[in-house]
Amino acid sequence: MRGFWGLMRAYWFSNRWREAWALAAVIALLTALSSKAGVWFAEASGELVNSIAFFHDAANTSPLTTLLTNAGWLVLLVVIKDAVITGARTLVSATLHRKWRGWLNSRFNEALLDPNHTHFHAQHSSDAGAPDNIDQRVQESIKDMTGGAIGLAMGVLAVATSLFFVGQKLIADSTEVAGLEFLGDYGSAVLALVVVAAYVPANTWIAMKLGGMLERLSVRMQQAEGSYRGELTTLLRRSFHVAASRGENVQKAMHDRLYSDIDQTWSRLNRVNAGYSSFELVYNFVGARIIAYTPGLVPFIHNRIDLKGYITGAELVNSLISQCSWFIHVMPAIATLRANSRRVIELAEAIENVRQPAEFYRQTGQSDFRYTQQNPVFGLTIQHLELMQKGADAAPFLTTERLRFRRGEWTFLKGESGSGKTSLIKAINGLWAYGRGTVVFPEGVKTFYAAQEVKLPPVSLKELVCLPDTPDDHSDTKAAAALHHAGLGEFIEHLAEGSREGHSWDQILSGGQKQKLIVARILLQQPGLLFLDEATAALDPDGKTAFHQAIKDNCPDAIVISVMHEAIAPRSATGSEFYHSVLTIADGIATKKPLVPTLPAELTTILANPPVRSIAKTPPQEDGWLRITRMRLRQK
């Protein structure tokens, strides 16, 4: 769907083409009927004016009856044209708008949420071309673009049908015009068409210039509105942090600055809109009251046509001007259409660019990651991995040699802040842009990534527990058991609820409870490869122990790679180690070694400074366990 026309025709050549063309055909038929009704309206107007003009004529034997009859026919035509035909066309066009928008929305959702994580790459492409305010583009811009396109097509069709029907009637009623005798009986029709052709295009050119200004300002307004709305949305997510740091003044200044951009753009947009409105009003008056009555004036003066013919001809010309002026009347809408289509096209192009992430990132740096699979008995293997930043000549900031993680092995990943711990986890999962190396996953093993910050979508509690699976993939009993083992048993009775007392689960659950919810997901899905990226940061020491113990008990064969800020890996309540190895990042190099068990600080102090027994004449015999412990400390 690259380009404007590609975006416009995609729906009409999709698997929904029958629906699209059927609705479009109905709209075309109703538009043609509306144009034909315009001709009938002009004739009825001429009859009514004629009955008024000759009301006192001696030849008119029933003036009141004629007047009322003509007025009744005119009112009936108005009802048929505006209430029946136009109303039906509005309903069908609104249905087409809804269908088209729904199809486009589904296409963008499918493209953004594909297995390649396009939504992630589109926003984190490290490129100035990354689209801003994707939510606004998918919702508002698509809605306004499709509605504007349908309106534009209806207007073009109305112009074409009006030219046919009105032109046909003008030619049928045409007569000779003094000074244009060489045109014969087509004089008045040609004169009417020439007047319309001279008046409408010149003013359309002016309207297009003003429309260009409106388009640019509309795009700028959308960007400013989107930035302000995005900041307000972010504030709602971090309102606690703003309150705790007393950052309201800084936040308010930021809002004022963003709204100032909206206000200034809005002011310029209002001035252009006001100017366009004034231009349109003057144009309409001149067209309806002067231009429309000019072509028939000469033959009327020379008695070539009567008053009825003159009024009918003027109404026909007015109808033709009105229909041909449709571009002028909707130029602001066309400007908005172009602005919205530009926003949607930019998003479509960004999506298309990152559909193949590796090829996209190679344009701005080195991106040569390979992801393959092997027999699950060999676990996870990483070979010669190098992580880089954007740039063709960028040097690696993190390097690893061959790393192997056995089935059931727990690895503690540690390093200073900014050393690249999270970057390494992202690269293993295919979420880092630049670098090279090979990652070999165990075949057929489910992978689970648990991050520090947990965002919960507004769905039922069971759906939250089952993510990324669907609720149908797991029974209520299994979901409840997972919640119980994770320490969230008090919420089991609310499993089917999407909220409680008007609040979503994201608002109800604390940070620690959200991380326990992650445990419930792990217990339910039984992943064979688990990445914990500071997933216990919101838990107290006992909570961290329970977190690890639940995984240890229920996922005995899982490979676990965990990022934590602790200097020492957590242990079980009995003092046994959860982790088997430690992966340390220092000076840009990641090295993996077996984990050397440590002793509590109190015991280490006692062993380093044993108590002196002054009454003993011979050295006391050490307890066997203490002797072994002392030897291990010396070895360390």
Side-chain angles (χ1 to χ4, degrees), residues 15-94:
N15 58 347
R16 305 268 291 274
W17 66 271
R18 292 183 180 86
E19 169 189 274
W21 287 105
L23 291 171
V26 174
I27 292 173
L29 176 61
L30 292 172
T31 301
L33 285 175
S34 179
S35 298
K36 185 63 176 178
V39 176
W40 298 335
F41 178 84
E43 292 176 334
S45 297
E47 291 287 352
L48 178 61
V49 171
N50 189 65
S51 63
I52 294 173
F54 293 95
F55 187 85
H56 298 290
D57 191 280
N60 192 351
T61 58
S62 55
L64 184 59
T65 302
T66 303
L67 177 63
L68 293 176
T69 300
N70 290 333
W73 277 114
L74 184 62
V75 171
L76 180 61
L77 284 173
V78 170
V79 171
I80 292 175
K81 180 178 181 296
D82 295 338
V84 178
I85 299 176
T86 305
R89 187 180 66 169
T90 300
L91 177 60
V92 176
S93 63

Side-chain angles (χ1 to χ4, degrees), residues 336-356:
T336 303
L337 165 64
R338 295 183 61 182
N340 283 301
S341 64
R342 184 189 301 182
R343 302 277 286 171
V344 178
I345 289 168
E346 288 174 356
L347 176 59
E349 290 177 345
I351 291 174
E352 291 293 332
N353 288 337
V354 299
R355 294 300 290 270
Q356 300 296 328

Side-chain angles (χ1 to χ4, degrees), residues 285-418:
F285 175 81
V286 173
R289 293 292 178 264
I290 298 177
I291 302 299
Y293 285 85
T294 299
L297 187 59
V298 175
F300 177 72
I301 292 174
H302 292 86
N303 288 321
R304 297 299 180 115
I305 56 175
D306 57 9
L307 180 62
K308 173 185 172 181
Y310 178 51
I311 298 298
T312 300
E315 289 293 335
L316 288 171
V317 174
N318 184 33
S319 176
L320 189 60
I321 292 175
S322 177
Q323 294 292 351
C324 293
S325 302
W326 181 86
F327 293 102
I328 295 176
H329 299 322
V330 299
M331 190 59 69
I334 294 175
T336 303
L337 165 64
R338 295 183 61 182
N340 283 301
S341 64
R342 184 189 301 182
R343 302 277 286 171
V344 178
I345 289 168
E346 288 174 356
L347 176 59
E349 290 177 345
I351 291 174
E352 291 293 332
N353 288 337
V354 299
R355 294 300 290 270
Q356 300 296 328
E359 296 180 6
F360 173 72
Y361 290 124
R362 287 191 193 110
Q363 300 174 14
T364 54
Q366 299 185 53
S367 183
D368 296 303
F369 295 109
R370 292 182 62 249
Y371 297 92
T372 61
Q373 293 184 338
Q374 63 185 2
N375 193 300
V377 299
F378 297 112
L380 172 70
T381 303
I382 300 174
Q383 300 175 354
H384 308 293
L385 194 67
E386 294 181 346
L387 304 187
M388 308 170 186
Q389 300 291 353
K390 180 181 178 181
D393 300 326
F397 66 85
L398 178 60
T399 302
T400 71
E401 293 302 323
R402 181 183 175 88
L403 301 176
R404 180 182 173 187
F405 303 88
R406 304 183 309 276
R407 183 166 59 180
E409 180 182 2
W410 286 44
T411 302
F412 175 44
L413 176 56
K414 69 177 185 178
E416 296 182 355
S417 296

